[in-house]
Amino acid sequence: MKILVVGSGPSGVHFALTALRNRHQVVMLDVGRARPDTVLPEEDFPGLKSRLQDPAGYFLGREFAAISLPAAERGHDKEYYGLPPSKDYVFDRPAQFSTLEDGLSPLVSFAAGGLAESWTGGCYPLNDHELRHFPFGYEDLAPHYAEVAARIGVAGGEDDLSRYFPRHDHLLPMLDLDDSSARLLAAYERRRQRLSTKYNARLGRSRQAVLSRSLGERRKCTYCGRCLWGCPNGALYTPSLTLRDCLTCSNFQYVPNTFASHFRLAPSGSIEHLASYDLGSGAATRRTADAYVLACGTLSTSNLVLRSLYKSRKEIVRLTGLMDNRQVLAPLCNLAMLGSSYNARTYQYHQLALGIETDAPDRYVHGQITTLKAATTHSIFRGLPFDLRSAIGIFRDLRSSLGVLNLNFCDWRREHNFLTLSAQLSDAEGWPMLSIRYRPPPGEAEKIRTACTTARGFFRELGAPLIPGMTHIRPMGSSVHYSGTLPMSAQRRPWAVSPACQSYDIDNLFIVDGSVMPFLPAKNLTFTLMANAVRVASVAF
Amino acid sequence: MTRSIFVTGASGFIGQCLVQRWTAATDYSLKIMTRRQLPEWASKEGRLRQVVGDLLDPETYRAAIAGCDAVVHLAAVTGRAAPEEYELVNVEGTRVLLQACKAAGAPRFLHVSTIAAGYADQSYYPYAKTKARAEALVRESGLDFAIVRPTLVLGEKSPIWNTLLKIAKLPLIPLPEGPRSVLVQPIHVNDVVRGIQLLLESGNFRGEVLELGGPRPLPFREFLGLIQEALRGKPGRIIRVPIAPIRALLAAMEPALRRQMPVTAGQLAVFANDSVPSGNWLLAELLADMPSTEETIAALVHAGNRGGSSGKGMPGRNSQARAMSENARRVLQEECRSLTAYLVGTAPSPYVVEQYTRAAHAHRLAFDEDFSCFDRVTIWLARRGRMLARSADAYCAIFHRRGALRRKLIVLAAILEHVAPTSEVFDRVEPRHVAFTALSLVRYGWMSAVSLLLGALILLPASILCWMATRSIGPGIRARQAQ
């Protein structure tokens, strides 16, 4: 069967790899912004500062855009993502894609590998409580979680958090802990009974898509501290690694630098062809296939569906149920580390996770704890209310004890959160612009307050109090977990897909990215997206 | 059939939108005349040709007009120009262009005018008067022509939209009004461009004047209220001020203070006349696909809020275009040495000095004349040695966090943090007894408090003096300083 896949993000590449292994012919269309070459691959993070010829250019960018400055006027500060210039390619969007935003400011990617090229690697399988909104259960998904784990390498093991993360096959041994995380975990071990009973919350090791032992050509983590700037060894997983595996298959054709514009729909409701054009020459191409698979992320996938309807039927519809995880950042100070040094040559991202139970098991709150090691720090000390020389000194004194708890909250589909096309504004190509509308769920503030109160007490008893006044509720769109606009449903209904992710409205269309999530648990969704894509490729083709 | 079209005023607000949409979505062959080469349109080469020329010098564009099917004449002087400038470009420029068109074989002439050309009350408004006279020249030209008169044209880059946004953000809006609130019928720039395209494609160049407006007329007061609602969720307070004396006063001030005035007497004509189109076939066609005024406003407000939401903005595009004088460069280099000594206690390497100069330029921190009076005082103080730099910084860390000095210091700290050997100051943490850490924290707190006290002694009076000085020089100069 000839299958045309749009998008090379985590869903697209894992769908493709399974389909290729099942001997289907796969053509993948992609804008495919390419990752630049890794500089000085043998060097660790501190070494880069002394060995690079132009360290300011590498860390801050040629236009110094990575310097975090306060806006000239109050109220104009932008959310700081701390993304390094080496990841600029991940967020470089072509002029063909623009959005009208109301209540949610998205980050989008057109990189080869998609947004997950800047993934922090949290791999958390959903349990049956969370999957009760899905048309299948954990048992159906478990083999696919295992398959993905075998492909990408997931470090993790058994601990208190296993009650929230079911165990699947092919887990790798855990990574070495950094000192601060190790002391936090040891403090928890000593107070486990009391803390879990009092707060209904548990601490344990996070599961990361990082190699603790070599896998094929990928080297195991060397603890070089360069995770944020792009792992030079391929130990921290990104989907472009799987794209590389796909490219070794003779039945795979990768077509980068191509913008997929819309489907031409026949009156019968099936796709006649996909219209795309080359981003360099502007040359338009019509492509046909036996099945069309959208895997370009919720916003682009929905945009393509909406544009297809607009082009073929002059219809503008709403795709409702847009979801995203609310994130809350709470800096903490691990007092046990005061007076200690830190080691920049460690795994840089989160090593610990926190689970907070709520009144309903599927409304579980998920946290990841990242202790401060190798990092760009001017964005932190510039916020202290002291002269910068004192601020740098104070920050250095506290540095090894600092960390941040990132709390994630679940989301569910609501009718008034939707994607549609704007009748009044058009993009650079004259198409109606993709319009986003999002409002947070009712009672959100109370839920955040409750979870923060729990976390505050929990970490205080661990000897790592949250720093007062510094908890930050991130704006919607920051977590980049957009989903839910074309959900899986066992019942046939408009703008939904079957349990095999086949559209109920367009019969030769399959959707395998976040659009199909009928519910968005608090746990990072990337691992589940990959597993679901493998499941669809296995059961539907 | 591919149409060959010559466009004047393509770098203006409507012109830019027209070029953007037509190069993307039509097969027109465009020749656009601009006063200088626009590099941002270099990527569209193949779909358009830039003709660098001067409206008043037909030799610069005569060859480009030859063989064109139509001329779209958008070029005009707007804003706060002197009457003679309006006369020169809007009347004489049109006259010269019309003659060149006739000489080139009389292509169809689409003249983009303004609803103001038909205002009954054009007092003090040379723009409206000259546009009306340009229309008369077009009528007398003998060419096949059509005249389009848009009303208030809205769009993200629309000058009037951006002025209205600023007005709508005021807590209390003084609205100049005559005996009644005038009517407006604003139209989105995309619809104006669509109208021009429909007109070209219809071939109806039979001397009509086609006025273009949005979906419905509404009182100016209500229009302003809709913008306020979209901005803040509720209408703000609007108070009526009599228009006649204000216009007379502004008109009297204009000859001497035109450039400093936020608005001219002529621009107030919009509050003295209805800006509502009379019905015509083109407007009827456009209305069929037009969104409501409320939707347009909401979309524009959200587009404005979106700002640089694509993640990180690229700073300093405009300042990059400004050349740095040798003197300005020297000042920045010296500043870098002085501030580095304050931040990390050593001299910067030539590499750091160069990076700081470039980064200050990129973040619009290179030119002292760009800063407010108080910013200049803090920077001046910080350049006078480590202790004064620390004092100025300590004061700004509390009372002037967004000021130029803080921004300069953060830029420098970001560079020093990533460059060896100064990176050690930020990264190196030696293990020691926790009591020493506590003592160190107390010491930094103490040093900062002393610096703050010293900074306040100097900068508190300076901030009062700057505030008084700024008040006394008037809003026009403040606005120029801000720019």
Side-chain angles (χ1 to χ4, degrees), chain A residues 464-525:
Chain A
L466 304 188
I467 301 172
M470 291 195 72
T471 299
H472 170 58
I473 300 175
R474 300 186 86 179
M476 289 311 300
S478 307
S479 79
V480 211
H481 295 156
Y482 321 128
S483 50
T485 48
L486 292 153
M488 283 183 270
S489 164
Q491 284 80 43
R492 188 181 188 92
R493 56 191 178 83
W495 305 117
V497 298
S498 71
C501 291
Q502 183 171 14
S503 167
Y504 284 126
D505 305 273
I506 303 169
D507 57 18
N508 47 354
L509 175 66
F510 292 78
I511 298 169
V512 298
D513 57 23
S515 323
V516 301
M517 300 281 283
F519 171 72
L520 185 64
K523 294 169 187 165
N524 317 48
L525 82 168

Side-chain angles (χ1 to χ4, degrees), chain A residues 49 54 70 377 388 397 426, chain B residues 21 351 393 407 417 432 440:
Chain A
K49 294 185 179 182
D54 179 17
T377 58
L388 274 191
D397 283 344
S426 45
Chain B
R21 291 175 71 94
Y351 172 79
D393 184 20
R407 294 160 65 80
E417 181 198 350
R432 57 184 172 180
S440 171

Side-chain angles (χ1 to χ4, degrees), chain A residues 169-371:
Chain A
D169 292 338
H170 300 303
L171 283 175
L172 296 175
M174 293 190 271
L175 295 177
D176 297 345
L177 274 181
D178 62 83
D179 286 350
S180 185
S181 298
R183 290 190 198 190
L184 270 179
L185 196 57
Y188 173 74
E189 296 292 343
R190 291 195 294 274
R191 301 170 179 82
R192 172 196 282 155
Q193 195 58 43
R194 172 184 160 76
L195 286 170
S196 56
T197 312
K198 183 174 175 185
Y199 295 103
N200 230 347
R202 287 166 181 82
L203 190 77
R205 298 293 300 267
S206 56
R207 293 201 190 158
Q208 309 123 325
V210 187
L211 298 183
S212 53
R213 60 173 177 240
S214 298
L215 180 71
E217 289 177 11
R218 293 168 57 199
R219 286 166 60 192
K220 69 176 183 179
C221 179
T222 59
Y223 302 101
C224 66
R226 290 174 60 175
C227 317
L228 173 67
W229 292 271
C231 178
N233 308 311
L236 172 58
Y237 175 77
T238 56
S240 54
L241 294 165
T242 304
L243 178 60
R244 201 175 64 185
D245 293 340
C246 292
L247 285 166
T248 61
C249 302
S250 59
N251 47 343
F252 182 65
Q253 187 193 352
Y254 181 58
V255 189
N257 207 29
T258 301
F259 185 78
S261 173
H262 59 275
F263 294 119
R264 181 78 207 177
L265 302 179
S268 62
S270 59
I271 296 168
E272 281 181 357
H273 65 255
L274 170 67
S276 63
Y277 46 91
D278 184 281
L279 285 170
S281 66
T285 310
R286 294 176 174 183
R287 294 173 193 277
T288 57
D290 301 313
Y292 300 83
V293 176
L294 287 181
C296 42
T298 295
L299 299 185
S300 290
T301 285
S302 301
N303 194 31
L304 210 148
V305 169
L306 289 165
R307 284 162 66 113
S308 305
L309 288 169
Y310 176 76
K311 184 77 175 176
S312 300
R313 301 180 192 158
K314 294 285 171 236
E315 258 184 76
I316 291 185
V317 298
R318 281 182 179 182
L319 300 178
T320 60
L322 177 66
M323 300 181 283
D324 190 23
N325 292 125
R326 174 70 85 181
Q327 287 190 331
V328 176
L329 300 181
L332 55 85
C333 180
N334 184 2
L335 300 176
M337 288 295 291
L338 282 176
S340 305
S341 61
Y342 70 97
N343 185 3
R345 294 168 183 85
T346 53
Y347 178 66
Q348 191 190 3
Y349 288 137
H350 52 90
Q351 297 252 48
L352 302 177
L354 173 75
I356 303 177
E357 292 179 27
T358 66
D359 45 357
D362 57 341
R363 303 279 160 107
Y364 154 94
V365 177
H366 183 66
Q368 292 185 140
I369 298 118
T370 306
T371 53

